[in-house]
Amino acid sequence: MTDYRSDTFTKPSQAMLETMFRADVGDDVFGEDPTVNKLETLAAETFGMEAALFCPSGTMTNQIAIKCHTQPGDEVVCDKLSHVYIYEGGGIAFNSGCQVKPIEGDRGRINAEQVRSAINPDDLHKPVTRLVSLENTANRGGGSCYQFDDIKNIRGVCVDNNLALHLDGARVFNAIVEMKENPKDYGTTFDSISVCLSKGLGAPVGSVLLGKKDFIRKARRVRKVFGGGMRQAGYLAAAGIFALQNNIERLVIDHQHAKKIAEALLKKPFTGKMMPVETNIIIFEVIGNYTAKGLAEVLRKHDILVMAISETQVRMVLHLDVTERMVEETIKVIGIL
Ligand SMILES: *Cc1c(COP(=O)(O)O)cnc(C)c1O
């Protein structure tokens, strides 16, 4: 089976499992797990940020960040396709008592002017605009990347208006390697960053939340409240360290694979509109003889798994468990459909 449904389907490699097995552990709720502490230090240093917090999921790192930046009744500004808004179970309302001002962005990305005009005036009828949340790469934008200047312009609006700026960086390393960026520029631009270790980086579990020392101290308290305080979590953190040390540069391979498969798909009559393939995600419309589900079923017969994300759209995601040989095989199968 070649699984293109998501980059969350990766399984730890033998080498990753061996480092997990050897991890030195302790009770992380007491701050005594040396491997978790090492992961948090490594992640914070990578982005030039003061501190980090290891959490079970990217949903949790995002939700903790939103809780720490806001008060109930506040408003959060984000793209209408943001994971924090449409894929976290209504968590912004549930956990933080906040509401969202969804922005009609460009493939999941918003701009400084849109943020400026989304800010509510100082009027007691209006919720207080408190936080802006960006997603890079943007999942429902087909893995689209921000231009860093656009992020800086948004930062400017946030500073002028006393708004916090959060990054849902579930796939931030895909953006960093593709756009040849420096993670430290992210560290100086965002108040908080959430990074997934369990997507294309290949760890089985985990995300890290980055921010200033005081912010992370508060986040650690909220993590406990949310039930995310783990004990001998070093076994999992070891996988995260391995992922950060070994699996970042290779993400460009996934991007090359995505472009190759996209090329093959574009030659087929069943391929309609395709989103520009910028990183490891392909989203395309299925037209003609196949429905999205129908195409997924046919591919499954050839041991290829893809996801129908709407009535008409199929998504394929590249990751480290898809080898060059598997990509070639997939291109062959696409050729005969
Ligand atoms: C996967 C993902 C997350 C976090 O998901 P979890 O499954 O909770 O780890 C957050 N944001 C985006 C954009 C994602 O793709």
Side-chain angles (χ1 to χ4, degrees):
M1 281 287 178
T2 305
D3 203 334
Y4 296 101
R5 288 174 297 170
S6 174
D7 43 6
T8 55
F9 285 87
T10 58
K11 291 178 188 167
S13 63
Q14 195 59 39
M16 182 182 273
L17 283 170
E18 276 163 23
T19 47
M20 292 170 72
F21 194 66
R22 286 196 304 267
D24 196 3
V25 300
D27 189 332
D28 179 51
V29 172
F30 286 78
E32 291 182 13
D33 188 301
T35 311
V36 172
N37 293 341
K38 191 175 158 196
L39 169 65
E40 291 176 346
T41 303
L42 172 64
E45 278 173 357
T46 303
F47 285 84
M49 292 185 97
E50 287 179 8
L53 182 69
F54 182 50
C55 291
S57 73
T59 298
M60 190 181 278
T61 46
N62 281 331
Q63 291 298 321
I64 289 173
I66 293 163
K67 179 70 197 150
C68 290
H69 287 304
T70 59
Q71 289 297 318
D74 287 348
E75 200 158 70
V76 179
V77 176
C78 64
D79 186 276
K80 66 168 193 178
L81 297 175
S82 299
H83 196 280
V84 294
Y85 180 43
I86 63 171
Y87 291 134
E88 298 186 5
I92 293 179
F94 194 101
N95 298 313
S96 298
C98 292
Q99 65 185 37
V100 169
K101 183 168 282 186
I103 306 292
E104 178 92 42
D106 166 30
R107 287 188 283 129
R109 300 161 302 181
I110 58 178
N111 63 45
E113 212 28 67
Q114 289 176 312
V115 172
R116 197 190 305 281
S117 51
I119 298 169
N120 292 325
D122 182 12
D123 170 345
L124 60 82
H125 297 86
K126 303 280 187 181
V128 175
T129 310
R130 186 85 66 182
L131 170 67
V132 176
S133 180
L134 308 183
E135 190 174 307
N136 201 25
T137 68
N139 173 23
R140 284 300 303 269
S144 56
C145 300
Y146 273 90
Q147 294 293 329
F148 207 82
D149 280 345
D150 293 339
I151 295 178
K152 278 202 225 150
N153 291 338
I154 292 172
R155 175 73 197 171
V157 174
C158 291
V159 170
D160 291 347
N161 294 277
N162 203 22
L163 308 179
L165 182 60
H166 173 69
L167 176 68
D168 176 353
R171 298 189 181 84
V172 68
F173 282 113
N174 292 88
I176 286 169
V177 302
E178 185 61 29
M179 306 297 278
K180 301 186 168 53
E181 293 163 338
N182 183 346
K184 295 202 167 60
D185 290 333
Y186 282 83
T188 54
T189 306
F190 287 92
D191 297 301
S192 55
I193 302 177
S194 155
V195 183
C196 280
L197 303 164
S198 63
K199 293 256 162 84
L201 296 184
V205 176
S207 284
V208 281
L209 178 63
L210 313 167
K212 288 213 156 49
K213 268 206 185 97
D214 285 350
F215 176 86
I216 293 298
R217 190 175 302 126
K218 192 170 167 187
R220 201 173 285 282
R221 176 174 277 274
V222 175
R223 183 185 68 175
K224 191 75 181 86
V225 176
F226 284 1
M230 298 181 285
R231 302 296 177 175
Q232 286 71 35
Y235 294 113
L236 301 173
I241 294 169
F242 184 93
L244 291 175
Q245 288 174 341
N246 295 280
N247 293 343
I248 293 174
E249 278 78 27
R250 64 151 306 285
L251 290 169
V252 290
I253 299 171
D254 298 339
H255 303 176
Q256 289 159 2
H257 286 167
K259 288 194 178 76
K260 272 193 191 166
I261 293 172
E263 237 169 69
L265 284 167
L266 284 168
K267 289 184 190 143
K268 304 303 289 189
F270 61 75
T271 305
K273 251 177 96 177
M274 183 183 282
M275 284 185 159
V277 178
E278 296 187 26
T279 52
N280 67 327
I281 300 177
I282 309 167
I283 294 179
F284 64 102
E285 210 181 13
V286 181
I287 55 172
N289 293 338
Y290 292 110
T291 59
K293 268 206 181 123
L295 181 64
E297 274 163 29
V298 171
L299 286 168
R300 182 184 274 271
K301 290 195 181 114
H302 293 274
D303 290 339
I304 293 166
L305 301 178
V306 303
M307 190 139 83
I309 57 165
S310 73
E311 289 289 308
T312 57
Q313 284 174 306
V314 161
R315 186 182 82 162
M316 296 175 74
V317 187
L318 277 292
H319 52 75
L320 76 175
D321 286 359
V322 177
T323 63
E324 187 172 357
R325 201 198 182 111
M326 289 160 135
V327 169
E328 278 162 15
E329 198 52 45
T330 299
I331 289 171
K332 256 189 226 160
V333 170
I334 292 168
I336 58 164
L337 290 185

